[in-house]
Amino acid sequence: MCDPFTAGSTVLTSMGARNEAALATDIQSRGDFEAAMLSSASVLASAKAQGDEVQVRDQLGQMYRTNVAAAILSGVDNVSFDSINNAQQKEGSKAIEQIYDNVNFEKAGLRTQAVLTLTNAKVDAANHAAAAYTGALGTILGTAQAGYQNYKDNRVEEKDPKKKSGLSKKFSSFFKMFTGKK
């Protein structure tokens, strides 16, 4: 069998492989969470833009009512304020367009950041999963090599059956399949 150091090393490496696999799952979960938070921020940006649009429209309405009141108080016809009202309406439309251009740019940035977050999480998770796999594979190979080396060191030539130990006799057939001897 293996010496205690090899057996202990096998257990620790196996625990490390499990830890790497758990870390891979955790990284992927955190990446999914961060991407969801970025999507939520995109929704909030849209809601803020709609709120800003309402404020611009309210200001336009107040300016129009102020112009109508000024026309009534001055005794001037409302038609004389039409050019002012039209100019204010154009400026308000430009402001609303700018609000939505800004929010679309912000949302595109958030979508890009979400995609990068998910991609990075998948790559990191895959790296940790690969480390877990290679660690476990290395442990299995190391244990097999140590066992085989132990077999080679403790085997007795078949010419002298008296020297075979009970342990060597039990495992000799198992290790013969690695050496190809019959």
Side-chain angles (χ1 to χ4, degrees), residues 149-176:
Q149 187 62 44
N150 190 5
Y151 163 72
K152 279 178 53 177
D153 293 345
N154 295 319
R155 76 177 175 177
V156 178
E157 293 296 320
E158 291 185 26
K159 295 176 185 174
D160 191 3
K162 295 177 187 174
K163 291 187 179 179
K164 282 192 176 182
S165 69
L167 208 63
S168 177
K169 193 182 293 183
K170 288 180 184 177
F171 290 103
S172 65
S173 62
F174 174 73
F175 289 111
K176 282 183 184 177

Side-chain angles (χ1 to χ4, degrees), residues 32 42 50 52-53 60 63 66 70 85 92 97 110 114 126-127 134 138-139 149 159 170 181:
D32 291 342
S42 179
Q50 290 173 351
D52 291 348
E53 178 186 0
L60 287 173
M63 287 188 285
T66 301
N85 288 334
E97 281 180 29
L110 290 169
N127 285 337
T134 56
T139 300
Q149 187 62 44
K159 295 176 185 174
K170 288 180 184 177
K181 294 182 181 178

Side-chain angles (χ1 to χ4, degrees), residues 134-145:
T134 56
L137 185 60
T139 300
I140 291 167
L141 291 174
T143 304
Q145 284 177 331

Side-chain angles (χ1 to χ4, degrees), residues 78-95:
N78 266 351
V79 176
S80 61
F81 281 94
D82 281 349
S83 62
I84 295 172
N85 288 334
N86 288 340
Q88 288 173 342
Q89 185 66 35
K90 284 181 183 178
E91 287 300 313
S93 294
K94 285 181 186 177

